Amino acid sequence: CSCLSVTTAVVGGVGAVVAAPYAVGVIGFTKAGIAASSIAAKMMSVAAISNGGGIAAGGLVATLQSLGAAGVSGAATAAAGGIGAAAGWLTNIIR
């Protein structure tokens, strides 16, 4: 039934929108900065080593820290919703 595809897409989209702000914080990108001994701290270390000691502006670590500090923007929320909807839809197709 195509209604099952729509349902899984909607559930995936809503789940991604709800989870996105929390996921950034859970891995260590917080309002106060990168949490010690977190996944974010390890990501920052790897990025700094590969960039000769600095973190590239606009890179993954910098972007995730911006999201952790300021929250997730409307555009990022929309993108997360779209990705989640696609994942939900694909989950139903693959089964």
Side-chain angles (χ1 to χ4, degrees):
C1 170
S2 65
C3 58
L4 184 57
S5 295
V6 171
T7 302
T8 55
V10 168
V11 169
V14 170
V17 168
V18 170
Y22 297 108
V24 172
V26 166
I27 62 174
F29 294 102
T30 70
K31 290 183 186 286
I34 293 179
S37 301
S38 66
I39 293 170
K42 181 64 176 173
M43 290 174 66
M44 184 177 179
S45 173
V46 169
I49 290 169
S50 67
N51 288 321
I55 300 298
L60 180 62
V61 173
T63 301
L64 290 173
Q65 182 51 44
S66 292
L67 292 174
V72 179
S73 70
T77 300
I83 292 167
W89 179 75
L90 286 173
T91 300
N92 188 51
I93 296 299
I94 293 171
R95 292 194 290 164

